[in-house]
Amino acid sequence: MNSQKARPLGVAMIGYAFMGKAHSNAWRNVASFFDVPAFEQKVLVGRDAAGVAEAAGKYGWTETSTDWRTVIERDDIDIVDICAPGWLHAKIAIAALEAGKHVRLKKETAGSGALGDIASHAIDQVLFLLGDQVTEVSGRTHTFTTHRPGAAGQEEVTVDDAAWATLTLASGAIASVEVSRVATGQKNSLKLEIYGDKGAILFDLENLNELGFLDATGPAREQGFRRILVSEPEHPYVDAWWPQGHIIGWEHTFTHEIRDFLTAISTGTPPSPSFEDGLTVQRILNAIEESAAAKSSIIQLASAPAGTPTALTAASEGA
Amino acid sequence: MNSQKARPLGVAMIGYAFMGKAHSNAWRNVASFFDVPAFEQKVLVGRDAAGVAEAAGKYGWTETSTDWRTVIERDDIDIVDICAPGWLHAKIAIAALEAGKHVRLKKETAGSGALGDIASHAIDQVLFLLGDQVTEVSGRTHTFTTHRPGAAGQEEVTVDDAAWATLTLASGAIASVEVSRVATGQKNSLKLEIYGDKGAILFDLENLNELGFLDATGPAREQGFRRILVSEPEHPYVDAWWPQGHIIGWEHTFTHEIRDFLTAISTGTPPSPSFEDGLTVQRILNAIEESAAAKSSIIQLASAPAGTPTALTAASEGA
Amino acid sequence: MNSQKARPLGVAMIGYAFMGKAHSNAWRNVASFFDVPAFEQKVLVGRDAAGVAEAAGKYGWTETSTDWRTVIERDDIDIVDICAPGWLHAKIAIAALEAGKHVRLKKETAGSGALGDIASHAIDQVLFLLGDQVTEVSGRTHTFTTHRPGAAGQEEVTVDDAAWATLTLASGAIASVEVSRVATGQKNSLKLEIYGDKGAILFDLENLNELGFLDATGPAREQGFRRILVSEPEHPYVDAWWPQGHIIGWEHTFTHEIRDFLTAISTGTPPSPSFEDGLTVQRILNAIEESAAAKSSIIQLASAPAGTPTALTAASEGA
Amino acid sequence: MNSQKARPLGVAMIGYAFMGKAHSNAWRNVASFFDVPAFEQKVLVGRDAAGVAEAAGKYGWTETSTDWRTVIERDDIDIVDICAPGWLHAKIAIAALEAGKHVRLKKETAGSGALGDIASHAIDQVLFLLGDQVTEVSGRTHTFTTHRPGAAGQEEVTVDDAAWATLTLASGAIASVEVSRVATGQKNSLKLEIYGDKGAILFDLENLNELGFLDATGPAREQGFRRILVSEPEHPYVDAWWPQGHIIGWEHTFTHEIRDFLTAISTGTPPSPSFEDGLTVQRILNAIEESAAAKSSIIQLASAPAGTPTALTAASEGA
């Protein structure tokens, strides 16, 4: 709808901590590298007036506000980027959607366990890359660090800090997921290994400019995992950046995300990932927790018929 | 007991395929590198007279035989190295032990699944390195390649070719085990990752001369996984081989094994790994299979009291 | 001097190709991550009015101009960032310095050989990291690709595409430099290996978030090159960016450069690298070419007395 | 000639230190893995009667001697494997050749510098892999560690411990050679990087079971250095050893060498590398030293006409 408007899209962002800083960086730079619809970084919203004012100045937002409800009802705001903590996320999203705004953008999850924080990304990646569906899961969660220093001395930790799961996929593949907040020396590692009969793919978020690839269709004597430095103009998104061999950073993934989001808005196509994609991941996480509570017994997932409208409340429960 | 004998220890080997070739190599070379009790490669035993004769000539055995029962009863045979296929292994081992011979040496497992063939090694390594015990398991097995070309056309595959398990250890650690015969591009990979609060260790059998090590006790700015090329005289076993930086091969692990075995005999100490160690691994594999058959539900392992004598028949059932 | 001014520093940039795009990115973002003196991206200068207008819009510059001479004389311009091709660089720099502006920022070198384009960076890094001086060089240059398609058919290539040199350093170290534009598969590799008696350091620009480090002061059995992911708050510059394990891109090196440059201006300290640093590298490159022309014979470098003012014309000759 | 003899080839080895131990290992095992002419490990020769007796027992030699002149004249000795120190090597080789024996096997070099000890191997590999010839060199040598503890206190070191050279090859390629005994953390590294227009190859002796390979003929988006674990039956020599993924050790390179040497004898073809190959490398080393002494000036190599008989005395001078 916005594509018909003459004026630039108005963007509001709610939250300005880690994720707000990263998303602001993407908004500030996306139009310098990609051909996207015109937009303006209009309002930054936060609870603390002084804090939000300082952040707005640093991150390139024109106005500030401490009242997200007012902002999302403004006629000149078309896009609401919710970077608020997880527990606030669903409430804001529902209100923004009811006000007819575009919403997709990644939340800052806080207070959730390793399953919710980390496995969610891993499972999302598996489903996106394979275009597959999960039909059943077996899971296990654990809390290695049971107490942490708190206001009242040593406080009990109530969320898991490690989780394991096996997922049966509709295609016949099996995905094994293992996440941990206590794997010493692994700083932000998110490793994917995908094995097929014609080849295999490796990826690690700590080296996100590289792809490990093995082509199993050639002669055995020439097979081996190769390190592809994903910096050629032929690689998706990359020709917008620098010449070959010049790597990009983690934050540019958000620039790509916003580029896709803006492009989807301008062409009237549904943004990807969609709310439904998020709901699917959340249902899988719920089933893993259910399995973990039932001595790791395999749990069947009721697969939603394709195209079935998904109630937003279901998503908000999980978020 | 043998240490009192004046004559060299007499060694017989049963089987001369892959494992027989590797063990023969170790017997042929161990005394060139390590200070071990005197022994003689006396008899190689196989079913085919011509085949065993050729193998004996190539691998350094003085005599040959096609009758393992007679050989293990000979007075001049002190050690029986069983490299026969798995299904024969238990029967020979019992007979040899009843004849008062030294036995453990590794069997060639054939016809078993990925769980029995591969996970057995992984679990053995975890228990050996951590000195820990498994108290419960959840497991899953799968057969990706369901049919293979056989004498009667496409024949059904009756064993698993991939397996996953989580093991609760007595120390509070959790081990995640994942094995596959169908992971394209992984030739003989056996990776171990051990995370503790003071550091972490990585190992891969495909690079068996290297150890990945992270020391988490120093300043964060200096932390990182280091690649230690295990070729210094200070490293165990290594001063017997070559100067630093000159790597050894996979087969030398058997040379070390035989060196330890011979040393244990000469000093009268129990060899490690013992039959009991093997039985422990087998019990864990059984529990994983039991869990896999019960929708991955967690299975408790009845822990044998320390020092309890283990009936050999139990071991033979598992082998 | 600028630190006394009430108004923000006015910045002009000359050139908007590869380096202009990268520097614009740094100017646009530096204040979002670092605490730097206030400045404004005032004028972008280029030869083509339409092109410079489009670039200014994309890269965040307020005004445009096609006349660099006028711009550098404006009172509201304090900093001139020269991203023009190498052959224009010296002329603009001299004019800007004569107009009392701050200049150091990296030029786009074009039409130079591998020695000038690549070895310059390598030698600069060696001198910066070691804090050392070159006393003599032996060098060699070569042109592997002798002809390239041009307007008049196959045209002769007149610059080197590979070069080798050994540099004697004042400290007693010897640096070996090897650069190539034709090393197939090496996209933007710039590898440094520094060996000392107490340890060693490895770096590769293609993995610029990592440092290879070996500490040779501990026991030999624990020594090995470690991969330090330079993403801890303790690492220089890094706390301004993202949490640990979230890597930054190549272009952020310019953000750091501009942060240091602005900080130097505000504190009145000389920026580093200085013109003199650039001149030193250029003298070494000249000596390497001289050696290459003299059958690789070792050439002595006349070392400038420390603190000796360096004539700007000398710098311009080399640039 | 020996192929006509009915009796097995008689082998004598002179020297039993590091190289003698490694060669003995190869003699002891080559026939267990490869189909080679029959031979016997007859005599081990050393200066110390007790020492050589102990070594012969450990390494599998039947007899011992302290007089190499007598041994090489024995009719039942067909092959003389010289593992004596470098300074003795030439004298023994000449005597053995005059006595009509087969000789090539690698010497233990001692008391030579990094150029002679290490660069010799690197240059040999380059010439072998490229099938190329060196036409001119520029070189440099250096002694970083100028004094070592000796019998008379700190003694001066008279050989180089690091060397650099560029070699012009007849094909038009240029080889850059860099060797060091003082590169902290590099234990036995011997890295080769070969860049061609259709691809590139990497090798490191510390990971001798791996080959780095980049195929530059496919699409740019799929190009990357792959790690080929050279353990497939299709790889040369490898099917004689273990199944895929089971690596071999450094010492097996000697087993392959002896296999090739014995095969050459039995087929009457000249062994490779030949004396002439060794002489060629030696001439290049001499030219590098000559260049180093002449301020690194480029030295032309007089190329011997192909097939020209090479005087043995020339080789002995260099060895």
Side-chain angles (χ1 to χ4, degrees):
Chain A
M1 52 178 165
N2 296 285
S3 55
Q4 292 133 290
K5 294 184 185 179
R7 65 167 177 79
L9 295 163
V11 184
M13 174 177 284
I14 304 176
Y16 55 89
F18 174 29
M19 275 298 139
K21 181 177 174 182
H23 276 229
S24 294
N25 180 72
W27 285 111
R28 202 166 55 242
N29 291 297
V30 65
S32 300
F33 296 96
F34 294 97
D35 187 19
V36 287
F39 66 88
E40 284 173 1
Q41 287 182 249
K42 274 202 179 287
V43 198
L44 183 65
V45 186
R47 274 171 297 182
D48 172 58
V52 75
E54 190 194 336
K58 284 176 69 173
Y59 301 157
W61 299 91
T62 311
E63 306 168 43
T64 64
S65 168
T66 58
D67 178 11
W68 61 263
R69 289 184 187 279
T70 312
V71 170
I72 64 178
E73 280 169 9
R74 281 170 52 165
D75 280 346
D76 62 340
I77 296 301
D78 305 285
I79 295 168
V80 182
D81 185 352
I82 308 174
C83 295
W87 57 269
L88 253 178
H89 186 262
K91 197 195 274 187
I92 301 174
I94 295 165
L97 287 161
E98 283 174 354
K101 311 298 180 182
H102 292 280
V103 178
R104 187 223 57 68
L105 297 171
K106 206 168 252 149
K107 64 172 174 163
E108 174 166 88
T109 46
S112 170
L115 182 67
D117 274 11
I118 314 177
S120 53
H121 292 292
I123 293 169
D124 181 48
Q125 278 197 305
V126 167
L127 298 183
F128 171 71
L129 288 172
L130 299 187
D132 212 331
Q133 281 187 301
V134 174
T135 60
E136 54 182 26
V137 307
S138 166
R140 184 167 190 169
T141 59
H142 194 75
T143 306
F144 284 104
T145 304
T146 55
H147 289 78
R148 283 190 181 281
Q154 287 291 308
E155 291 179 1
E156 204 182 339
V157 173
T158 57
V159 293
D160 66 89
D161 54 17
W164 301 261
T166 53
L167 318 179
T168 311
L169 302 183
S171 65
I174 292 182
S176 168
V177 177
E178 192 169 355
V179 295
S180 171
R181 275 184 178 149
V182 292
T184 303
Q186 302 290 2
K187 296 184 177 181
N188 189 34
S189 184
L190 197 164
K191 291 193 178 90
L192 272 176
E193 305 184 9
I194 299 177
Y195 298 99
D197 55 348
K198 293 199 175 56
I201 283 174
L202 310 179
F203 175 76
D204 184 358
L205 188 63
E206 285 189 9
N207 284 301
L208 55 82
N209 292 271
E210 300 179 17
L211 186 75
F213 172 54
L214 179 133
D215 179 357
T217 63
R221 61 185 291 146
E222 293 178 15
Q223 290 181 23
F225 278 97
R226 74 186 75 165
R227 166 192 176 259
I228 300 177
L229 192 63
V230 183
S231 66
E232 298 288 337
E234 290 89 340
H235 290 131
Y237 302 101
V238 176
D239 63 342
W241 298 99
W242 317 112
Q244 61 171 15
H246 296 72
I247 68 171
I248 61 170
W250 163 85
E251 75 270 29
H252 296 326
T253 58
F254 294 105
T255 312
H256 297 169
E257 208 169 27
I258 286 177
R259 179 257 183 206
D260 285 351
F261 180 75
L262 288 170
T263 303
I265 289 175
S266 81
T267 58
T269 52
S272 163
S274 64
F275 269 102
E276 203 166 76
D277 294 330
L279 176 59
T280 298
V281 170
Q282 193 54 53
R283 278 178 170 156
I284 296 165
L285 297 180
N286 290 351
I288 291 171
E289 283 193 330
E290 196 182 332
S291 170
K295 290 175 138 296
S296 301
S297 278
I298 287 176
I299 302 288
Q300 307 289 328
L301 270 95
S303 64
T308 301
T310 303
L312 187 66
T313 43
S316 70
E317 280 168 13
Chain B
M1 51 182 161
N2 295 284
S3 54
Q4 291 132 288
K5 295 184 186 179
R7 65 167 177 78
L9 296 162
V11 184
M13 174 177 283
I14 305 176
Y16 55 88
F18 173 29
M19 275 298 139
K21 181 178 174 181
H23 275 229
S24 294
N25 180 72
W27 285 112
R28 203 166 54 242
N29 290 297
V30 65
S32 300
F33 296 96
F34 294 97
D35 187 20
V36 287
F39 67 88
E40 286 173 1
Q41 287 182 249
K42 275 201 179 285
V43 199
L44 182 65
V45 185
R47 275 172 295 183
D48 173 58
V52 75
E54 190 193 336
K58 284 175 70 173
Y59 300 156
W61 299 91
T62 311
E63 305 168 44
T64 63
S65 168
T66 58
D67 178 12
W68 60 264
R69 288 184 188 280
T70 311
V71 170
I72 64 178
E73 281 168 10
R74 282 170 51 165
D75 281 346
D76 63 339
I77 296 300
D78 305 286
I79 295 168
V80 181
D81 185 352
I82 309 174
C83 295
W87 58 271
L88 253 178
H89 186 261
K91 198 196 275 186
I92 302 174
I94 294 165
L97 286 161
E98 283 175 353
K101 311 297 180 185
H102 293 279
V103 178
R104 203 306 294 161
L105 298 170
K106 208 167 250 148
K107 63 171 175 165
E108 174 167 88
T109 46
S112 170
L115 182 67
D117 274 13
I118 313 177
S120 52
H121 293 292
I123 292 169
D124 180 47
Q125 279 197 306
V126 167
L127 299 183
F128 172 71
L129 288 172
L130 299 187
D132 212 331
Q133 281 187 299
V134 174
T135 59
E136 54 182 26
V137 306
S138 166
R140 183 166 192 172
T141 59
H142 194 75
T143 306
F144 284 104
T145 305
T146 54
H147 289 77
R148 282 191 181 282
Q154 287 291 308
E155 291 179 359
E156 203 182 339
V157 173
T158 56
V159 294
D160 67 88
D161 54 18
W164 301 260
T166 53
L167 318 179
T168 311
L169 302 182
S171 65
I174 291 182
S176 168
V177 177
E178 191 169 356
V179 295
S180 171
R181 277 185 177 147
V182 292
T184 303
Q186 301 290 1
K187 295 182 179 182
N188 190 34
S189 184
L190 197 164
K191 291 194 179 89
L192 271 176
E193 304 184 11
I194 299 177
Y195 298 99
D197 55 347
K198 294 199 173 53
I201 283 175
L202 310 179
F203 175 76
D204 184 357
L205 188 63
E206 285 189 9
N207 284 302
L208 56 82
N209 292 272
E210 300 178 17
L211 187 75
F213 172 55
L214 180 132
D215 179 356
T217 63
R221 61 184 291 146
E222 292 178 15
Q223 290 182 22
F225 278 97
R226 73 185 76 165
R227 166 191 177 258
I228 301 178
L229 191 64
V230 184
S231 65
E232 297 289 336
E234 291 89 341
H235 291 131
Y237 301 101
V238 176
D239 64 343
W241 297 100
W242 316 112
Q244 62 171 15
H246 297 72
I247 67 171
I248 61 170
W250 163 85
E251 74 270 30
H252 295 327
T253 58
F254 294 105
T255 312
H256 297 169
E257 209 171 24
I258 286 176
R259 180 257 182 207
D260 286 350
F261 180 75
L262 288 171
T263 303
I265 289 175
S266 82
T267 58
T269 53
S272 164
S274 64
F275 269 102
E276 204 165 75
D277 294 330
L279 175 60
T280 298
V281 171
Q282 193 55 52
R283 277 177 171 156
I284 295 165
L285 297 180
N286 290 352
I288 291 172
E289 283 194 330
E290 196 183 331
S291 170
K295 291 176 137 296
S296 301
S297 277
I298 287 176
I299 303 288
Q300 307 288 328
L301 270 94
S303 65
T308 301
T310 304
L312 186 66
T313 44
S316 70
E317 281 168 12
Chain C
M1 54 178 164
N2 295 283
S3 55
Q4 292 133 291
K5 293 186 185 175
R7 65 166 177 79
L9 296 162
V11 184
M13 173 177 283
I14 304 176
Y16 55 88
F18 174 30
M19 274 298 138
K21 182 177 173 181
H23 276 229
S24 294
N25 181 72
W27 286 111
R28 202 165 55 242
N29 291 296
V30 65
S32 300
F33 295 95
F34 295 96
D35 188 20
V36 287
F39 67 87
E40 286 173 1
Q41 286 181 249
K42 276 203 179 284
V43 199
L44 183 64
V45 185
R47 275 171 296 180
D48 173 57
V52 75
E54 189 193 337
K58 284 176 71 173
Y59 300 156
W61 298 92
T62 310
E63 306 168 43
T64 63
S65 168
T66 56
D67 177 10
W68 61 264
R69 290 185 186 278
T70 313
V71 170
I72 63 176
E73 281 168 10
R74 280 167 55 163
D75 281 344
D76 62 341
I77 296 300
D78 306 286
I79 296 168
V80 181
D81 185 351
I82 308 174
C83 295
W87 57 270
L88 253 177
H89 185 261
K91 196 194 279 186
I92 302 175
I94 295 166
L97 286 161
E98 284 174 353
K101 311 298 180 182
H102 293 279
V103 179
R104 137 44 251 131
L105 297 170
K106 207 167 252 150
K107 62 171 175 164
E108 175 165 89
T109 47
S112 170
L115 182 68
D117 274 12
I118 314 178
S120 54
H121 293 292
I123 292 168
D124 180 47
Q125 279 197 306
V126 167
L127 298 183
F128 172 70
L129 288 172
L130 299 187
D132 212 331
Q133 281 187 300
V134 174
T135 59
E136 54 182 26
V137 307
S138 165
R140 183 167 191 170
T141 59
H142 195 75
T143 306
F144 285 104
T145 304
T146 55
H147 288 79
R148 284 192 180 281
Q154 289 291 307
E155 292 180 359
E156 203 182 340
V157 173
T158 56
V159 292
D160 66 88
D161 54 18
W164 301 261
T166 53
L167 319 179
T168 311
L169 303 182
S171 65
I174 292 183
S176 167
V177 177
E178 192 170 354
V179 296
S180 172
R181 276 184 177 149
V182 292
T184 302
Q186 301 290 3
K187 296 183 177 182
N188 189 34
S189 186
L190 197 164
K191 291 195 179 88
L192 271 177
E193 305 185 9
I194 299 176
Y195 298 99
D197 56 348
K198 293 198 175 56
I201 282 175
L202 310 179
F203 174 77
D204 184 358
L205 188 64
E206 285 189 8
N207 284 300
L208 57 84
N209 291 271
E210 300 178 18
L211 187 75
F213 172 54
L214 180 132
D215 179 357
T217 62
R221 60 183 293 145
E222 293 177 14
Q223 290 181 22
F225 278 98
R226 73 185 76 166
R227 167 193 175 255
I228 300 178
L229 191 64
V230 183
S231 65
E232 298 289 336
E234 289 90 341
H235 292 130
Y237 301 101
V238 176
D239 64 342
W241 297 99
W242 316 111
Q244 61 171 15
H246 297 73
I247 67 170
I248 61 171
W250 162 83
E251 74 270 31
H252 297 326
T253 56
F254 294 105
T255 312
H256 298 168
E257 209 171 23
I258 287 178
R259 179 257 183 207
D260 285 352
F261 180 75
L262 288 171
T263 303
I265 289 176
S266 81
T267 58
T269 53
S272 162
S274 64
F275 269 102
E276 203 165 78
D277 294 329
L279 174 60
T280 299
V281 171
Q282 193 54 52
R283 278 177 170 157
I284 296 165
L285 297 181
N286 291 351
I288 291 172
E289 283 193 331
E290 196 182 332
S291 170
K295 290 176 140 294
S296 301
S297 278
I298 287 177
I299 302 289
Q300 307 289 328
L301 270 95
S303 63
T308 301
T310 304
L312 187 65
T313 44
S316 71
E317 280 168 12
Chain D
M1 53 180 161
N2 295 284
S3 55
Q4 291 134 287
K5 294 184 186 175
R7 65 167 177 78
L9 295 163
V11 184
M13 173 176 283
I14 304 176
Y16 55 88
F18 174 30
M19 275 297 140
K21 182 178 173 181
H23 276 230
S24 294
N25 180 72
W27 286 112
R28 203 165 55 241
N29 291 296
V30 64
S32 300
F33 296 96
F34 294 97
D35 187 20
V36 287
F39 67 87
E40 285 173 0
Q41 286 182 248
K42 275 202 180 285
V43 199
L44 183 65
V45 185
R47 275 171 294 180
D48 174 56
V52 74
E54 190 193 336
K58 284 176 71 174
Y59 301 157
W61 299 91
T62 310
E63 306 167 42
T64 63
S65 168
T66 57
D67 177 11
W68 61 264
R69 291 186 186 278
T70 312
V71 170
I72 63 177
E73 281 167 11
R74 281 168 53 164
D75 281 344
D76 62 341
I77 296 300
D78 306 286
I79 296 168
V80 181
D81 185 352
I82 308 174
C83 295
W87 58 271
L88 254 178
H89 186 262
K91 195 193 280 185
I92 301 175
I94 295 165
L97 287 161
E98 285 174 352
K101 311 298 179 181
H102 294 279
V103 178
R104 121 67 230 138
L105 297 172
K106 206 166 253 150
K107 62 171 174 164
E108 175 165 88
T109 46
S112 169
L115 182 67
D117 274 12
I118 314 178
S120 53
H121 293 291
I123 292 169
D124 180 47
Q125 279 198 305
V126 167
L127 299 183
F128 171 71
L129 288 172
L130 300 187
D132 212 331
Q133 281 187 300
V134 174
T135 59
E136 54 182 26
V137 308
S138 165
R140 182 165 192 172
T141 59
H142 195 75
T143 305
F144 285 105
T145 305
T146 55
H147 288 78
R148 284 191 181 282
Q154 288 290 309
E155 293 179 358
E156 203 182 340
V157 173
T158 57
V159 294
D160 66 87
D161 53 18
W164 302 261
T166 53
L167 319 179
T168 310
L169 303 182
S171 65
I174 291 182
S176 167
V177 177
E178 191 170 356
V179 295
S180 172
R181 277 184 176 148
V182 293
T184 302
Q186 302 290 2
K187 296 182 178 182
N188 189 34
S189 187
L190 196 164
K191 292 195 178 88
L192 272 177
E193 305 185 9
I194 299 177
Y195 298 98
D197 56 347
K198 294 198 174 55
I201 282 175
L202 310 179
F203 175 76
D204 185 357
L205 188 63
E206 284 189 10
N207 284 301
L208 57 83
N209 292 270
E210 300 179 16
L211 187 76
F213 172 54
L214 180 132
D215 179 357
T217 62
R221 59 185 291 146
E222 293 178 15
Q223 289 181 21
F225 278 98
R226 73 186 76 165
R227 167 194 176 254
I228 300 178
L229 191 64
V230 184
S231 65
E232 298 288 337
E234 290 90 342
H235 291 129
Y237 301 100
V238 177
D239 64 342
W241 297 99
W242 316 113
Q244 60 171 16
H246 297 72
I247 67 170
I248 61 171
W250 163 84
E251 74 270 30
H252 296 327
T253 57
F254 295 104
T255 312
H256 297 168
E257 209 171 24
I258 287 178
R259 179 257 182 208
D260 286 352
F261 180 74
L262 288 171
T263 303
I265 290 177
S266 81
T267 58
T269 53
S272 163
S274 64
F275 267 103
E276 203 166 76
D277 294 330
L279 175 60
T280 299
V281 170
Q282 192 54 51
R283 279 178 169 156
I284 296 165
L285 297 180
N286 290 352
I288 292 172
E289 283 193 332
E290 196 183 332
S291 170
K295 290 176 139 294
S296 300
S297 277
I298 288 177
I299 302 288
Q300 308 289 327
L301 270 93
S303 64
T308 301
T310 303
L312 188 64
T313 44
S316 72
E317 280 167 13

